[in-house]
Amino acid sequence: MPLPVLAMMLCTFCIGTAESVIAGILPAIGHDVGVSLTSVGMLISVYAVAVVIVGPVLTAVTGRLRRALLMPGMMAVFILGNVLAALAPDFRWLVAGRVVSALAHSTLIAAFVAAARDMAPADRRAAWGARITLGIGLSSVVGVPAGTLIGNLFGWRATFWALAALSLAATLLLVRRAVPEASPVTPDHRRAVPGAARPRFVLPGPLLLVALVIMLGTGGVFALYTYASPYLTQAAGFGPQAVTVLLLLYGAGGIVGNTAGGRAADRSPYAAVLVTLGASTASLLLLAVLPGSRWAVVVLFCLLGAAYFGTIPALNTQTVTTAGTTSPTMALTINNSAFCVGIAIGSWLGGFLLAHGHSLPSVAAAGATLTAAAVLLAAACPGRRNSPAATTPEGPSAGRTAEVATAGETTR
């Protein structure tokens, strides 16, 4: 793996860990700062809101910066947020630190994926982009458990100090071997298309359609995943110790799915989206009807992780190819915001159903309904005519030009 790609993956690992680790140290934070668990839960929702609302705006503002300045600069903002959280004298400062960290989230992940795709051979763009999002999968398997363990052993502030230190090391690695700048033709991809205008922020219909697929598919999975622990203990009958193992299996499945999904997306992103979303739907349906079969639950939980993370590279590819005159980095920022909205929708749906007396298996069934809707909508998304041949001219710039040309055809 090229050093710049490794550095970006490590940075993404830190970002993914920071986003999710808070759930493991909520009780410690609440006890230390003297607020209720419900109030501490705001640290998760505030982070998500900042990512969704501020992310696209910040990407637009920083869109003309060189990668050599943008990436280390935004990582510095992310590190600052974690330092503020570690030093927070009260809950308000802790919230402020979380917001500062969230500012860099969408812009950085989008910039990393776009850069990895630009660096890749023309027929390996999705696979290289998947190496970046692999950092998110690894954060679920390694980062969150490690951060929770550090918080339990040394206090919750130590978790944020560890995140800041690891993020600084990843940033120094990134600076040591700078990510190549995009070629003059590649970054906004307008001059390669006859009659193209200067870069501007627009939201073409096909891009919004892909974003809706992301929200529905993610919402369906997270309707159950948010309540994975009670499902596994109450509905499936596993002990508390087994829950940790099953969550690790989910993350391990995600790593395998992300890698395989990147390769599949390079061959046919349209088919990859349909297959992975279909697998998520089937897994959720079977989890709804087979909670009493422990071995089935183990296999299905692992398959759900593989299917969900396998969808991400293909959806990233479809996001870029349907971006139209929107820059790839901005399109991927919207993509990331759609994932965050989907997580919020799924969490809300699961909680709503449980609060109104529905069973945990019915939450899985409701999630399957959302992912099934995503499959139907994905079938209508542009991409059926996109083929590997369309993205394999000589050189990265030519490959991206072909993607834009294809996107132009599918938006007519």
Side-chain angles (χ1 to χ4, degrees):
M1 182 184 301
L3 186 59
V5 176
L6 175 62
M8 292 188 290
M9 187 186 75
L10 289 176
C11 290
T12 305
F13 171 83
C14 294
I15 295 169
T17 301
E19 179 183 21
S20 303
V21 75
I22 200 73
I25 55 177
L26 278 180
I29 292 175
H31 180 268
D32 188 46
V33 301
V35 297
S36 66
L37 286 180
T38 303
S39 297
V40 181
M42 289 176 55
L43 295 175
I44 298 175
S45 56
V46 166
Y47 188 99
V49 169
V51 168
V52 172
I53 295 178
V54 181
V57 175
L58 193 58
T59 300
V61 171
T62 60
R64 294 182 180 275
L65 292 179
R66 298 174 64 247
R67 287 172 178 165
L69 178 62
L70 172 67
M71 292 178 179
M74 295 303 292
M75 281 300 297
V77 172
F78 176 74
I79 293 169
L80 174 62
N82 284 288
V83 171
L84 285 175
L87 294 173
D90 55 38
F91 185 64
R92 289 175 297 179
W93 277 100
L94 183 54
V95 172
R98 290 291 287 171
V99 170
V100 172
S101 296
L103 295 179
H105 184 112
S106 285
T107 301
L108 273 174
I109 293 179
F112 290 154
V113 173
R117 289 174 60 88
D118 283 347
M119 293 169 60
D123 60 343
R124 297 279 291 161
R125 294 182 183 280
W128 281 45
R131 294 179 182 180
I132 304 302
T133 56
L134 178 62
I136 302 294
L138 288 172
S139 72
S140 299
V141 178
V142 180
V144 173
T148 301
L149 179 62
I150 290 172
N152 291 335
L153 291 177
F154 305 106
W156 62 269
R157 295 179 189 274
T159 299
F160 290 109
W161 282 121
L163 272 170
L166 184 59
S167 299
L168 178 60
T171 304
L172 293 176
L173 185 62
L174 185 66
V175 172
R176 180 183 176 186
R177 187 69 60 86
V179 176
E181 298 295 329
S183 70
V185 176
T186 302
D188 298 302
H189 321 293
R190 311 300 183 270
R191 298 175 211 170
V193 182
R198 56 181 295 182
R200 56 195 179 95
F201 175 44
V202 296
L203 291 176
L207 176 59
L208 291 177
L209 193 61
V210 174
L212 185 56
V213 170
I214 292 171
M215 285 187 282
L216 290 172
T218 303
V221 172
F222 273 83
L224 178 65
Y225 183 74
T226 303
Y227 300 94
S229 182
Y231 172 88
L232 293 171
T233 55
Q234 298 174 27
F238 287 98
Q241 296 81 6
V243 171
T244 302
V245 175
L246 287 168
L247 290 177
L248 288 174
L249 282 175
Y250 175 92
I255 293 173
V256 174
N258 186 262
T259 302
R263 294 172 181 172
D266 277 319
R267 293 191 292 270
S268 175
Y270 179 80
V273 168
L274 295 180
V275 170
T276 52
L277 284 176
S280 294
T281 303
S283 299
L284 288 166
L285 277 175
L286 291 172
L287 285 167
V289 300
L290 296 174
S293 176
R294 292 191 180 184
W295 281 110
V297 170
V298 170
V299 173
L300 290 169
F301 217 67
C302 188
L303 176 61
L304 182 63
Y308 172 68
F309 280 94
T311 307
I312 294 174
L315 287 172
N316 285 345
T317 298
Q318 284 206 324
T319 295
V320 172
T321 57
T322 57
T325 57
T326 302
S327 74
T329 302
M330 175 58 77
L332 288 166
T333 300
I334 295 168
N335 167 301
N336 191 68
S337 295
F339 276 108
C340 291
V341 171
I343 292 171
I345 290 173
S347 300
W348 170 84
L349 176 61
F352 176 84
L353 292 174
L354 293 176
H356 285 77
H358 293 277
S359 66
L360 287 159
S362 70
V363 172
T369 302
L370 286 184
T371 55
V375 173
L376 294 176
L377 192 59
C381 283
R384 204 173 316 203
R385 285 175 287 173
N386 290 357
S387 65
T391 56
T392 55
E394 295 179 3
S397 300
R400 177 61 186 141
T401 300
E403 287 183 349
V404 174
T406 304
E409 290 177 3
T410 56
T411 55
R412 289 187 193 125

